[in-house]
Amino acid sequence: MEPKKNIRYDLERKSPLFYSIGLVVALICVTAAFEWKAAYEPIELPTIKEEFPESYIVPLTAIRDPEPPKPEAIKPIEKPSLQPPIFVDEAPDSKPQPKSEIPDIPFDDVMAPPPPAPDPDPGVFIVVESMPKFPGGDKAFYQFISDHLKYPKEARRHGVEGRVILQFIIDETGKATDIKVLKGIGFGCDQEAIRVLEKLPLYEPGKQRGRAVKVKQTLPIVFKLPY
């Protein structure tokens, strides 16, 4: 059997009443705390007397511009007195001093301008305003190389192929000079390429500012065996 509770001793029914009573008591206590006034005696502070000096009043003064300086008196310019020159006769014992001898220089030699200095060598150019031109153009140049170039026997025997890179200078007269091998393959191919460039006809020289100059050029020549 389940135990049964007596309704008269059940406190849960009265919990709202107890909650309301507690809330009212708390509000009364808070209100009384704010309204509570305790008796106190006022504290008298000692009075401090400070003696301040009398204020100083700045007198009004008028500010004036400084007086401009007085102009100085202009002195009159004295005119020079034109008197005839006074010649002093030489004493009888005095000897005339020797005059310094100055060589006579022709007037034309003094005023003549110095001879013009020779123009310095501008050196070797890589790019100029007017590049060197082969007679007949580029097509004639490559035709000249193919007609005069011969495959070396030693390179043909060993089956050597490759590219020879040459460097040369076209001077002021249009001649190919200072021929160098930058990259070679040997077996007589380098010497054959130099031999052909030495036979080049005269170019039309390159010009810079209307003057013939030296121009450096690079030429690759390919050696390839026919199959």
Side-chain angles (χ1 to χ4, degrees):
M1 295 178 63
E2 294 182 2
K4 295 183 180 180
K5 293 182 180 181
N6 193 351
I7 299 175
R8 291 181 300 174
Y9 299 103
D10 188 8
L11 299 180
E12 292 182 359
R13 297 185 306 162
K14 299 180 180 181
S15 60
L17 178 61
F18 295 151
Y19 176 76
S20 301
I21 294 172
L23 183 60
V24 171
V25 172
L27 290 176
I28 292 172
C29 293
V30 172
T31 305
F34 278 104
E35 296 295 333
W36 181 266
K37 294 181 181 180
Y40 66 94
E41 296 180 359
I43 300 174
E44 294 182 0
L45 298 175
T47 59
I48 300 173
K49 295 182 179 180
E50 296 182 359
E51 296 180 357
F52 296 97
E54 295 181 358
S55 60
Y56 176 74
I57 300 174
V58 180
L60 298 176
T61 56
I63 300 175
R64 298 180 180 178
D65 297 333
E67 295 182 359
K70 296 181 180 180
E72 297 180 358
I74 300 174
K75 298 180 180 180
I77 301 173
E78 297 180 359
K79 296 183 179 179
S81 59
L82 299 177
Q83 296 180 0
I86 300 173
F87 298 95
V88 180
D89 297 335
E90 296 180 356
D93 296 337
S94 62
K95 296 181 180 180
Q97 297 179 357
K99 298 181 180 179
S100 59
E101 296 181 359
I102 301 175
D104 295 335
I105 301 175
F107 181 76
D108 295 339
D109 295 345
V110 175
M111 300 301 295
D119 295 335
D121 187 8
V124 181
F125 292 84
I126 298 177
V127 179
V128 291
E129 296 174 353
S130 178
M131 295 296 290
K133 297 179 181 178
F134 188 82
D138 294 341
K139 186 176 181 180
F141 171 76
Y142 291 114
Q143 185 64 36
F144 177 89
I145 296 296
S146 62
D147 292 344
H148 292 80
L149 188 66
K150 297 181 181 179
Y151 216 104
K153 295 181 180 179
E154 187 177 1
R156 186 187 298 272
R157 189 182 309 113
H158 292 82
V160 175
E161 295 180 347
R163 179 179 297 180
V164 178
I165 300 177
L166 302 173
Q167 185 183 78
F168 59 98
I169 295 175
I170 305 298
D171 61 7
E172 297 88 339
T173 61
K175 184 179 180 181
T177 61
D178 197 12
I179 303 171
K180 298 179 181 179
V181 178
L182 299 181
K183 182 181 178 182
I185 57 177
F187 295 93
C189 297
D190 305 343
Q191 292 76 8
E192 179 64 17
I194 294 174
R195 184 190 67 82
V196 174
L197 289 188
E198 289 176 349
K199 291 185 176 182
L200 287 175
L202 294 179
Y203 278 69
E204 181 181 346
K207 293 183 179 181
Q208 181 71 12
R209 297 181 180 179
R211 177 183 176 184
V213 293
K214 297 178 181 179
V215 182
K216 184 183 295 184
Q217 291 194 344
T218 305
L219 175 67
I221 297 178
V222 179
F223 289 84
K224 188 173 182 180
L225 291 171
Y227 295 101

